[in-house]
Amino acid sequence: NSMLSAGISALSSELLRCHFLTNLDITGNKIDDQGAFELAKALPHMTSLTSLNMYDNTMGNAGGAAIAKKLEKLTRLVALYSNRLGMDGCRYLAGAMKKLTRLSRLHLAYNAITAGGMEQLSQAFCHVTQLRSLDIQGNDLRHDGVNHLSSGLKDLPNLLALNAGEMALSATHGDLHFARSSLRGLFSVLKGCKQLHTLKLEKMFSDEARISKDSVYIPWLELDLMDLHKSLPKLARLVLVDTKQVLDLAMAILFLAC
């Protein structure tokens, strides 16, 4: 679907009267920054809204920031996958999280979030300690961003599901020690998430094509993941799609029973 400016403006006008609406899903409508501005005007009037899903639209930093400023009342789901939230959007979302104290799911995959944006978000995790599901896949976190993620996860003891795949770590010779440090820090923090049920770490390295071609084998990563699994008694699903070349594992997806 594609929702033109006139369409989103008309929708926003109608939403002003939707005081009892609890769930708004406008996935895949190519809503751009202007559309996001229009929608943001309606959000404060939707006093019963607990779940917002804007997956796969085309808003950028400005539109993401406009939406993030108006999210203070949501309690169930904030899903902004596949937009371009960027640094400004992360900053405003982090500000909104101070009032999103009952939020249970935060899904921000593929949003051009860099280490700076992850730092903004991780510093706000202390306000959303009831969070059960966090999806941060497909962002340009790199080593520093993974370190910020690890720092923030310490404030999420009730987390049940984490998707942190495609974190853009580098496995080149000069960067591999940074990757090792970042991942070991992440795994160390995750050992404290005793309720964790699902962990997804697909394509952790940005240069897996080179790794596969050169048959690079990183034995410490396999050992660290095995040690992590032993520390998480409720972990039922560990997904490592396309990381098999790095770990020298026979299966692309591992289902690990408790």
Side-chain angles (χ1 to χ4, degrees):
N1 293 327
S2 178
M3 190 170 292
L4 301 177
S5 296
I8 191 64
S9 180
L11 173 64
S12 297
S13 296
E14 292 299 317
L15 290 174
L16 290 172
R17 296 190 288 271
C18 293
H19 305 299
F20 299 104
L21 187 70
T22 60
N23 181 28
L24 178 60
D25 188 337
I26 42 179
T27 295
N29 278 288
K30 299 182 181 179
I31 296 173
D32 58 13
D33 280 344
Q34 186 58 47
F37 296 151
E38 293 294 328
L39 181 62
K41 296 176 184 177
L43 286 176
H45 300 274
M46 302 166 68
T47 53
S48 298
L49 191 69
T50 61
S51 178
L52 173 65
N53 190 348
M54 292 188 67
Y55 170 68
D56 195 22
N57 283 287
T58 60
M59 63 182 180
N61 289 357
I67 294 294
K69 289 179 185 179
K70 307 297 184 180
L71 296 179
E72 297 177 352
K73 296 183 182 297
L74 301 187
T75 59
R76 288 175 50 214
L77 169 67
V78 172
L80 299 173
Y81 307 63
S82 293
N83 288 284
R84 295 187 303 278
L85 200 59
M87 176 68 86
D88 288 342
C90 286
R91 183 171 67 252
Y92 286 113
L93 179 55
M97 285 163 66
K98 294 177 181 179
K99 296 186 178 180
L100 293 172
T101 55
R102 296 170 56 198
L103 188 68
S104 61
R105 290 184 291 164
L106 179 61
H107 295 174
L108 300 172
Y110 302 106
N111 259 294
I113 297 173
T114 60
M118 190 67 250
E119 182 178 20
Q120 296 278 346
L121 294 172
S122 66
Q123 291 175 352
F125 284 167
C126 61
H127 302 291
V128 290
T129 57
Q130 299 305 308
L131 203 67
R132 298 293 188 270
S133 176
L134 175 63
D135 188 342
I136 200 74
Q137 180 174 355
N139 286 293
D140 193 23
L141 300 186
R142 307 196 184 194
H143 310 113
D144 288 341
V146 173
N147 292 338
H148 292 313
L149 173 63
S150 300
S151 178
L153 287 174
K154 296 176 183 178
D155 294 316
L156 302 178
N158 300 302
L159 200 64
L160 301 179
L162 172 65
N163 185 354
E166 299 180 59
M167 56 182 74
L169 292 175
S170 174
T172 58
H173 180 71
D175 291 332
L176 194 54
H177 67 287
F178 293 113
R180 182 177 189 177
S181 176
S182 296
L183 286 175
R184 284 193 161 173
L186 176 62
F187 295 164
S188 177
V189 173
L190 288 175
K191 288 179 181 179
C193 298
K194 297 300 184 182
Q195 304 302 313
L196 199 66
H197 180 275
T198 299
L199 176 60
K200 297 183 179 182
L201 296 172
E202 298 111 309
K203 300 181 182 178
M204 290 182 283
F205 295 90
S206 58
D207 43 7
E208 289 205 16
R210 184 196 67 80
I211 293 170
S212 178
K213 178 177 179 294
D214 297 343
S215 299
V216 173
Y217 174 53
I218 307 176
W220 56 261
L221 184 51
E222 183 174 356
L223 294 172
D224 285 356
L225 279 167
M226 291 173 64
D227 182 56
L228 173 62
H229 175 242
K230 292 177 183 177
S231 302
L232 297 174
K234 295 188 177 182
L235 188 65
R237 191 178 187 210
L238 173 61
V239 183
L240 300 170
V241 177
D242 290 340
T243 309
K244 60 179 179 175
Q245 295 91 353
V246 183
L247 301 178
D248 197 31
L249 297 174
M251 299 173 61
I253 302 179
L254 299 180
F255 293 93
L256 301 178
C258 298

